[in-house]
Amino acid sequence: MSQAPRRTVVVLAAGEGKRMKSATPKVLHPLLGRTLLGHVLGAAGAAQASRTVVVVGHRAEQVEAHLAEIQPEATPVLQEQQNGTGHAVRIALDAVPEAEGTVVVLNGDVPLLRPETVASLVAAHEESKASATVLAAQVADPVGLGRVIRDDAGNLRQIVEERDASPEQRAVREVNAGIYAFDVAALRTALGKLSTDNDQGEEYLTDVFGLLAEVGQPVGVFVAADPDETLGCNDRAELAALRALLRDRVNTAWMRSGVSIMDPATTWIDVTARLEPDAVVDQNSQVRGTTTIAAGAVIGPDTTLVDAVVGAGATVLRAHVVGAQVGPEATVGPYSYLRPGTRLARKSKVGGFVETKNAEVGEGAKVPHLSYVGDATIGAQANIGAGTIFANYDGVRKHRTTVGDAAFVGSDTVLIAPVEVGAGAYVAAGSAVAKEVPAGNLGVTRAQQRNVDGWTVRRRAGTVSAEAAERAAAQQPAERHGDADASGDAGR
Ligand code: UD1
Ligand code: CA
């Protein structure tokens, strides 16, 4: 029988991140659906710790509020002054006197770290019975990072920060990723001996390795297979580079699982989104938040989905969709805006230049062109003509409109809520409907058309319109006031 692991996770998130030049603390910057801190905590989950401590400092309230949202069981610990990573871990351990076994420490700004890597680091550390193990990486450009210094036998001797390193040490390309596993007792002892005798006058966590090695304690190095995982984020350019790497990682995983991504370089899928095999995402599209896309759905090009649900076989073309559900085989776009509370049933259609909000569109119903549909229920098989506006707002309150099954609303209608159009009813084009149209009725609110004979020639004499009217009169004198049928055949 295996015992529950005795492990504690410590995430360092107290720093300001000066080089971000931001009012937002660095660890709260977003990266494809999670904050930097959210990504690190996600990876840290693989350590299966019984406690997670997050060291906060700069804008602590903001970081704590976010932590309470994403991982309420984690414990924030305040580091009032950011006197270095060693100081931060010392404060964290003071808050967990009961900690036993392994302490896993993670910098809060290393978001590409994979859970598998954390698990492997912890396993290697515990199997080797080392007192401390550092995750290292071989990189082409080690600038700004701590160097892993080994002796001739290849054993770790110390970790040296770049600003404290000799030219020879700076030439080393094996760097400290800022992720570690420690034996808690050895760590506590070494932390008590840290000095601030370095270029920044801070207590460096990295000095623990040299202190332990000096007294003959076993210290280890675990080299990450993929150095990208160990990249930190110190400014906006690095954040953008990390975002592109994560985009590729996420896209590759979805493609391997059967999703077609037509242009991976312009497709941005949050780590929180879910896609089924045979979904297709065309170029320039963003799939954000809790969005789910079912099998056979085609998204894009040029489409943004935020917290959306897209059913099997649906099509969403050049649209912006937020908090909306698109039913199976429904079609949306191009150039449409679906807002929260929109629910499109199976095989329904929302066409070009249509905005919807709090709107239910029934099975097979159509809103094909140029409409606003706010606070509405549209029945199955109903047809909403081009340019129809659901006027839901009276200046004070919002009201609801109901259109029954298979009703037909003519083009350029305004439905003034609260109002109801019954099942199978028709509304004549150009109507302003403020009263119920009962089921099966035709509602018309237009004035009778009146034609003023000869008006253009008399009142707009000398214009091109008057000239055209005169020509028409000369060619077809008998049909000038004729009905549509007669004039339609004229001249054929
Ligand atoms: C650190 C390492 C360096 C390593 C690099 C990897 C040290 C001394 N150096 O350098 O060897 O190569 O990470 O990215 O550890 N923090 C606190 N309290 C503090 C200081 C920092 O919580 O007093 C937090 C920061 O918010 C950050 C993390 O610790 O999340 C790392 O701090 P940072 O200043 O970015 O360290 P680096 O200079 O990058
Ligand atoms: Ca850093």
Side-chain angles (χ1 to χ4, degrees):
M1 256 185 39
S2 69
Q3 278 189 317
R6 299 168 309 146
R7 297 183 192 133
T8 304
V9 158
V10 174
V11 177
L12 305 186
E16 173 182 358
K18 282 194 188 64
R19 283 172 284 168
M20 295 297 282
K21 304 216 162 77
S22 176
T24 303
K26 175 163 75 179
V27 294
L28 297 193
H29 275 257
L31 179 67
L32 290 185
R34 288 196 185 130
T35 57
L36 300 186
L37 179 60
H39 283 287
V40 172
L41 285 168
Q48 297 181 297
S50 45
R51 293 265 324 249
T52 297
V53 175
V54 178
V55 182
V56 298
H58 177 74
R59 292 192 189 253
E61 332 70 54
Q62 231 176 310
V63 180
E64 281 183 38
H66 176 64
L67 187 63
E69 239 173 68
I70 63 167
Q71 196 160 313
E73 63 280 13
T75 310
V77 170
L78 184 65
Q79 183 195 23
E80 276 184 58
Q81 288 200 324
Q82 284 83 62
N83 293 334
T85 49
H87 180 243
V89 172
R90 197 148 57 76
I91 286 177
L93 290 188
D94 286 348
V96 284
E98 77 288 1
E100 292 184 76
T102 302
V103 178
V104 181
V105 177
L106 305 98
N107 281 359
D109 64 350
V110 190
L112 298 194
L113 184 68
R114 287 188 171 90
E116 298 83 333
T117 305
V118 173
S120 307
L121 168 71
V122 171
H125 169 79
E126 291 179 356
E127 272 160 32
S128 71
K129 301 208 161 35
S131 53
T133 307
V134 58
L135 181 70
Q138 294 283 350
V139 296
D141 178 13
V143 167
L145 296 168
R147 308 297 203 276
V148 170
I149 308 299
R150 299 176 185 253
D151 63 20
D152 294 339
N155 297 315
L156 176 62
R157 244 185 32 223
Q158 56 173 335
I159 298 170
V160 181
E161 291 309 294
E162 177 166 278
R163 51 212 305 170
D164 303 307
S166 66
E168 198 178 287
Q169 291 171 328
R170 276 186 204 195
V172 171
R173 294 186 173 191
E174 187 174 25
V175 297
N176 166 23
I179 318 288
Y180 324 81
F182 297 98
D183 170 69
V184 65
L187 177 60
R188 281 192 204 277
T189 308
L191 286 172
K193 297 183 189 158
L194 287 181
S195 80
T196 54
D197 182 16
N198 53 54
D199 188 60
Q200 296 193 91
E202 290 183 351
E203 290 180 38
Y204 287 166
L205 177 60
T206 44
D207 285 350
V208 162
F209 285 83
L211 288 167
L212 292 172
E214 240 168 51
V215 297
Q217 294 251 32
V219 290
V221 181
F222 182 83
V223 181
D226 174 7
D228 286 353
E229 278 187 57
T230 67
L231 292 171
C233 173
N234 296 302
D235 60 27
R236 312 267 182 152
E238 286 181 359
L239 180 58
L242 294 180
R243 187 172 286 117
L245 286 168
L246 187 56
R247 172 202 63 202
D248 290 346
R249 186 196 285 181
V250 169
N251 286 348
T252 301
W254 287 121
M255 289 188 281
R256 295 248 156 85
S257 80
V259 174
S260 282
I261 298 181
M262 310 315 285
D263 185 15
T266 63
T267 300
W268 301 85
I269 302 176
D270 279 357
V271 296
T272 42
R274 292 290 168 262
L275 296 86
E276 287 181 7
D278 283 324
V280 177
V281 184
D282 211 335
Q283 67 180 14
N284 269 329
S285 294
Q286 293 103 44
V287 181
R288 294 171 42 191
T290 59
T291 295
T292 58
I293 303 176
V298 180
I299 303 306
D302 307 326
T303 290
T304 300
L305 304 176
V306 184
D307 302 335
V309 177
V310 179
T315 303
V316 184
L317 168 64
R318 289 201 168 83
H320 191 87
V321 179
V322 182
Q325 295 178 20
V326 177
E329 294 171 71
T331 65
V332 175
Y335 308 109
S336 288
Y337 179 22
L338 307 191
R339 294 166 50 197
T342 296
R343 297 215 317 253
L344 310 185
R346 173 182 297 273
K347 291 192 172 171
S348 61
K349 170 177 180 152
V350 165
F353 300 99
V354 175
E355 176 177 337
T356 65
K357 185 215 74 175
N358 270 335
E360 290 182 34
V361 178
E363 187 164 335
K366 293 179 177 162
V367 189
H369 331 273
L370 301 159
S371 287
Y372 173 64
V373 185
D375 301 306
T377 303
I378 297 174
Q381 306 296 132
N383 187 88
I384 308 299
T388 295
I389 302 299
F390 287 65
N392 57 332
Y393 186 45
D394 60 13
V396 180
R397 266 187 292 273
K398 305 281 169 71
H399 303 279
R400 215 167 166 85
T401 297
T402 304
V403 174
D405 288 353
F408 182 99
V409 175
S411 295
D412 195 28
T413 292
V414 54
L415 298 168
I416 302 162
V419 74
E420 188 170 344
V421 175
Y426 272 59
V427 176
S431 293
V433 177
K435 269 187 355 200
E436 182 187 0
V437 180
N441 281 214
L442 168 67
V444 197
T445 71
R446 292 193 312 241
Q448 282 287 341
Q449 181 169 339
R450 183 168 76 91
N451 293 337
V452 181
D453 190 27
W455 186 90
T456 308
V457 172
R458 285 199 311 280
R459 306 298 294 267
R460 294 293 181 268
T463 64
V464 288
S465 304
E467 285 164 17
E470 276 167 343
R471 278 198 303 278
Q475 278 164 19
Q476 307 164 336
E479 289 166 0
R480 207 165 58 209
H481 342 275
D483 62 33
D485 287 341
S487 61
D489 290 329
R492 299 252 163 129

